[in-house]
Amino acid sequence: MAPVNKPKHKGKALLAGALSGVFEISCTYPTEYVKTTMQLSSEKLSVGNIVKQTYQNNGFLGFYRGLPSMVYFAAPKAAIRFASFETCSGLLTGPNGEDKFGLGSAKGFVAGLGAGTMEAIFVTTPQETIKVRLINDAFRTDGPPKYRSFFHGVKSIVGEFGVGGIYKGVAPTIIKVSTAQATRFGVFNVIPAEQRNTPIKAACSGAFAGGVSVLLFQGIDVIKSRMQGLDAGKYRSTVHCFTEILKNEGPLAFYKGVGPRMTRVCLEVGITMSLYGEIVKLLNMVWKTDQ
């Protein structure tokens, strides 16, 4: 996901990533809501079932439950992602632009792996834990929802489980985000530059890279959601969660929510990649730097 018009200036990379991230999640969150709800359920729920139930119970705004956790974190998440990618790319590149370690086309994958790891540790894990618990809480069957709002949810989770409570599922989250970003950055960079030199081409290339990452790592996303839900306590570890899902629900359970997640990720990466490059152009017009 290294846009053609990528900046070397770290401040521009941070700001462009932050703005594109906020815009993207505001557009695509309903698909994230449906995907997470499907993954949390041990029963077979269709997209139609979830849409109907959500709309009947909470109206259109019900599809945006948990959105604040994504919006508040969207800017720092995208900022860290792109800035870390630029930093890692710089570390892998010599002073004259040469490939320092002879990685070739794999350089994008390696830089993406580093960017995804930083993103998962500093932003994605607490964000995903809060989002998953808010969505899970909306569908609880043992009483009314416990969390009244985003801030009440955060206060309740930290109060009950401590700061470590928002770092549930950190291992599968790091695996998920680092491998996903490595795939997306890597695939995007492998695509010839002439096929991503306009906003539309960049969006299509980004959507393709995002789709590849979903097909490869959907199972990790399911495990992450289960370990961050309200029933996370019944899983002793990532491996235990994997074996329990496989034993009780079968291998296809690891592809729960793949449809809405595919839609969400393709839109996310397509929008972010095309918008990032255009925001960089605007920043270059109003923010004059040496790089």
Side-chain angles (χ1 to χ4, degrees):
M1 291 192 307
V4 175
N5 298 294
K6 64 178 183 178
K8 293 182 179 179
H9 191 276
K10 299 299 184 293
K12 288 182 180 178
L14 281 167
L15 184 56
L19 292 174
S20 60
V22 170
F23 179 82
E24 173 273 316
I25 193 57
S26 298
C27 293
T28 64
Y29 187 76
T31 60
E32 177 71 12
Y33 175 89
V34 173
K35 180 270 296 183
T36 302
T37 303
M38 292 180 75
Q39 291 178 340
L40 289 171
S41 175
S42 58
E43 302 174 0
K44 187 174 183 179
L45 287 177
S46 68
V47 173
N49 293 145
I50 295 170
V51 171
K52 182 179 179 181
Q53 184 177 347
T54 301
Y55 188 77
Q56 287 179 341
N57 294 340
N58 301 300
F60 178 73
L61 292 180
F63 294 102
Y64 283 87
R65 184 171 178 82
L67 175 65
S69 67
M70 299 293 276
V71 170
Y72 296 147
F73 287 106
K77 181 168 76 169
I80 287 175
R81 177 192 307 162
F82 283 102
S84 296
F85 180 79
E86 304 299 350
T87 299
C88 291
S89 294
L91 293 173
L92 299 173
T93 304
N96 298 315
E98 70 273 16
D99 187 351
K100 188 185 296 186
F101 299 101
L103 296 173
S105 58
K107 187 167 75 171
F109 286 92
V110 175
L113 196 66
T117 300
M118 294 298 101
E119 178 186 334
I121 293 172
F122 291 108
V123 182
T124 306
T125 301
Q127 169 214 293
E128 286 290 302
T129 301
I130 294 166
K131 178 207 71 178
V132 169
R133 291 196 173 218
L134 286 174
I135 293 175
N136 202 174
D137 184 57
F139 278 83
R140 65 189 307 146
T141 58
D142 58 349
K146 182 167 67 173
Y147 306 134
R148 297 190 300 270
S149 65
F150 169 77
F151 293 107
H152 179 252
V154 174
K155 182 180 178 181
S156 299
I157 294 168
V158 174
E160 186 175 355
F161 302 103
V163 176
I166 59 174
Y167 268 86
K168 291 285 186 180
V170 64
T173 302
I174 290 176
I175 295 170
K176 173 210 165 185
V177 178
S178 61
T179 53
Q181 296 303 340
T183 302
R184 294 170 194 175
F185 277 112
V187 171
F188 188 86
N189 278 299
V190 167
I191 297 172
E194 60 271 16
Q195 297 301 318
R196 47 188 173 90
N197 58 4
T198 68
I200 296 299
K201 288 181 179 179
C204 291
S205 297
F208 176 75
V212 171
S213 72
V214 169
L215 293 175
L216 290 176
F217 304 113
Q218 174 67 13
I220 298 173
D221 192 59
V222 173
I223 293 171
K224 174 201 69 68
S225 291
R226 293 291 181 88
M227 292 190 68
Q228 292 173 331
L230 297 179
D231 295 326
K234 68 182 184 182
Y235 301 119
R236 296 191 299 271
S237 65
T238 301
V239 174
H240 181 243
C241 181
F242 168 80
T243 56
E244 286 296 294
I245 294 173
L246 183 63
K247 180 176 67 177
N248 297 323
E249 302 171 52
L252 290 181
F254 294 107
Y255 274 82
K256 280 191 172 184
V258 68
R261 183 166 183 249
M262 177 71 78
T263 302
R264 156 91 170 87
V265 170
C266 287
L267 288 172
E268 171 197 349
V269 185
I271 291 172
T272 305
M273 292 317 307
S274 57
L275 194 60
Y276 180 83
E278 296 307 300
I279 291 175
V280 169
K281 290 180 183 177
L282 292 175
L283 289 177
N284 286 337
M285 294 171 60
V286 298
W287 184 359
K288 304 298 181 182
T289 64
D290 295 333
Q291 295 178 307

